Amino acid sequence: MNTDQKMRQSTSASAYGGRAGTDAGDGDPPVRAKRFWSARRVPAGIVALVVFAVSGLLLYDVAAVRSGRPAMRWREWLADQLAARPLDDPWIMSGAALLAALGVWMVVLALTPGLRGLLPMRSPGAGAGAGAGAGAGAEKDVEDADAGVAGVAVRAGIDRASAGLVLRDRAMEVPGVRSARVDVGRRRIRARALAHFRDLDEVRADLDTALHEGIHQLGLARRPALSVRVRRSAKSKG
């Protein structure tokens, strides 16, 4: 490998990493699709059980004290500690910070949709084509049970891991590619490939075209940007 090839190999991402999520000549209008919201039944159930248990225990102890019985030891110890320790005590500050972080985390969970591994797809009316491999891992939410009734709303999504496998198969079909790895993110797709013959620029150009076509056939509502890196395999260098 000469100096020019090494230079082209090191700058491969700058040539193809900046392409936007939409392909030139697609003609597909931009589509705004809402992300899928996670039900979060298990975390909500756990929080509800913990709050119920703590509240029930506290109410029972208060009622017991009102009826003339002594308070539980843990509440007496907690009351003594809160009365004796100043506000700038490290334990008080640590406990307050922990409770504040827990509250912020719960607010974030309540306001964010979750399901980061599921990418929304275009609806059939948006005119986006879906390839044969796009059905893998797809999740559909049909709002009307009768498929024959007009106005049925269909929401579909594809798992990021499944989309990566589909694009990896596309990359392996390019002549000269020995191995490939495709990482699908929410905003960017990173493809890394090893070439064992052909010029690196030719392999990179064919790989870029094949992956853009594969991304188009996935029918994603928001087309991620594509970053492609191609380098020569160690066996080919020898």
Side-chain angles (χ1 to χ4, degrees):
M1 183 182 297
N2 54 31
T3 306
D4 295 337
Q5 289 178 329
K6 291 181 179 179
M7 184 65 67
R8 287 197 299 268
Q9 176 180 335
S10 61
T11 59
S12 59
S14 62
Y16 295 93
R19 294 185 61 172
T22 56
D23 302 336
D26 280 349
D28 294 336
V31 177
R32 294 187 61 183
K34 295 182 180 180
R35 290 177 54 188
F36 293 90
W37 279 78
S38 175
R40 297 190 176 98
R41 295 184 180 91
V42 175
I46 294 176
V47 172
L49 289 176
V50 171
V51 172
F52 177 78
V54 173
S55 302
L57 185 62
L58 183 60
L59 289 175
Y60 171 79
D61 189 59
V62 171
V65 172
R66 293 294 183 180
S67 62
R69 296 181 180 181
M72 292 185 179
R73 292 183 179 180
W74 66 269
R75 199 160 72 91
E76 293 181 352
W77 176 84
L78 181 62
D80 293 340
Q81 292 295 324
L82 292 177
R85 294 179 182 270
L87 294 179
D88 58 350
D89 186 82
W91 287 102
I92 300 295
M93 298 293 291
S94 301
L98 180 61
L99 292 177
L102 182 61
V104 171
W105 178 62
M106 294 179 65
V107 171
V108 170
L109 287 181
L111 298 180
T112 54
L115 295 180
R116 297 176 61 87
L118 195 63
L119 300 177
M121 299 173 65
R122 289 172 176 259
S123 61
E139 180 176 310
K140 297 183 179 180
D141 179 18
V142 181
E143 297 182 358
D144 196 325
D146 188 3
V149 180
V152 175
V154 178
R155 294 190 62 200
I158 183 170
D159 186 71
R160 284 162 51 181
S162 301
L165 291 176
V166 173
L167 296 178
R168 178 185 175 276
D169 292 340
R170 282 275 186 171
M172 294 301 297
E173 295 176 357
V174 176
V177 175
R178 180 183 182 91
S179 63
R181 176 181 177 181
V182 180
D183 297 324
V184 178
R186 292 179 52 235
R187 295 181 176 85
R188 181 175 293 274
I189 296 177
R190 294 177 173 84
R192 305 293 180 264
L194 293 178
H196 59 108
F197 69 92
R198 297 180 66 198
D199 184 72
L200 288 181
D201 289 338
E202 296 178 359
V203 176
R204 190 181 302 113
D206 293 345
L207 183 60
D208 184 79
T209 302
L211 290 180
H212 271 92
E213 182 181 355
I215 295 172
H216 172 67
Q217 291 185 352
L218 287 177
L220 300 178
R222 184 182 186 277
R223 201 76 55 78
L226 177 62
S227 173
V228 178
R229 289 181 181 271
V230 179
R231 62 187 180 90
R232 190 72 67 187
S233 62
K235 294 183 179 180
S236 300
K237 292 179 182 179

